Amino acid sequence: MNYNNKVCSFTGYRPKKLYEAFSDENGMAELSEKLRIEISGLISDDYTVFQCGMALGADMLFAGIVAEFKRRYPGVKLIAVVPCHGQESSWSEKQQHKYKQLLNEASEVKIVSNSAYFDGCMQIRNRELVETCDLLLAVYDGKRGGTMQTVEYAKKLGRRIRIIDPSTMLRVSLFQQGRL
């Protein structure tokens, strides 16, 4: 493995939209396996830095899987890109515990805004994820929202994009402006 710090950022759906997209009750298990395969392949392709916005749903699933790989491969880094202080304050106790556990396992925690939540802090976080990556990995099936905006911003900046459609579990790769 060549540790050259290629960066993969992640975006994906929150729990409600994620579960609506699944074709059956095995959707979360299938998505977990798909993400493990994808992350393993990225590590084989010399991606060593994995960034995540740490939202509930697909983000937390991704962060947990990267944390597993980080334990096996010391060169792999998990960067938690947090939109604001107290992002987790309205979550359940169980969700907050998992969030704090993942933050503790992260190689670095970047807090994008030094204030509490405000309208627009999630979009600032999403732009940070895109602007600092070589490739954007998304769990996305075309529905409007923050994930769509993040994918569109990555297209605008010419980033490589890989999309896993949660309803079909198919992966699509988009290569912008001649990039491979």
Side-chain angles (χ1 to χ4, degrees):
M1 184 181 308
N2 176 17
Y3 295 113
N4 62 5
N5 296 323
K6 286 168 65 175
V7 178
C8 170
S9 287
F10 179 82
T11 188
Y13 290 149
R14 303 281 172 82
K16 183 179 186 296
K17 201 178 278 188
L18 191 58
Y19 283 104
E20 287 173 355
F22 292 145
S23 59
D24 61 38
E25 66 278 352
N26 298 319
M28 190 59 87
E30 287 180 52
L31 180 58
S32 293
E33 184 58 27
K34 215 43 163 161
L35 285 172
R36 273 187 186 80
I37 292 167
E38 194 66 35
I39 293 164
S40 178
L42 288 168
I43 291 169
S44 294
D45 288 340
D46 297 326
Y47 282 83
T48 57
V49 178
F50 294 86
Q51 299 187 127
C52 179
M54 302 301 293
L56 291 174
D59 280 18
M60 297 283 279
L61 178 63
F62 175 84
I65 294 167
V66 171
E68 292 171 14
F69 279 102
K70 182 178 175 281
R71 291 193 274 304
R72 282 189 266 161
Y73 302 105
V76 169
K77 294 179 177 142
L78 171 62
I79 310 297
V81 182
V82 178
C84 60
H85 289 284
Q87 169 178 247
E88 77 288 3
S89 61
S90 65
W91 300 355
S92 74
E93 188 175 316
K94 182 179 177 183
Q95 292 166 332
Q96 287 185 33
H97 177 74
K98 180 67 174 171
Y99 176 78
K100 289 173 184 168
Q101 179 183 9
L102 288 170
L103 287 181
N104 286 332
E105 291 192 64
S107 307
E108 180 183 345
V109 177
K110 289 183 191 177
I111 300 176
V112 177
S113 171
N114 257 344
S115 65
Y117 176 86
F118 62 92
D119 278 346
C121 70
M122 302 297 182
Q123 290 80 8
I124 293 168
R125 186 257 336 260
N126 294 344
R127 286 195 301 267
E128 171 74 15
L129 287 166
V130 171
E131 291 168 359
T132 57
C133 77
D134 299 296
L135 176 133
L136 180 70
L137 177 60
V139 171
Y140 173 63
D141 65 358
K143 289 185 177 70
R144 300 179 64 83
T147 301
M148 181 188 83
Q149 292 169 357
T150 305
V151 168
E152 291 302 317
Y153 188 59
K155 286 179 186 177
K156 180 180 173 184
L157 294 188
R159 295 297 189 261
R160 294 179 65 186
I161 304 166
R162 289 188 187 171
I163 297 171
I164 298 172
D165 183 329
S167 61
T168 63
M169 295 299 164
L170 295 175
R171 184 191 84 174
V172 175
S173 293
L174 303 177
F175 302 107
Q176 300 296 316
Q177 299 176 356
R179 297 174 71 154
L180 296 176

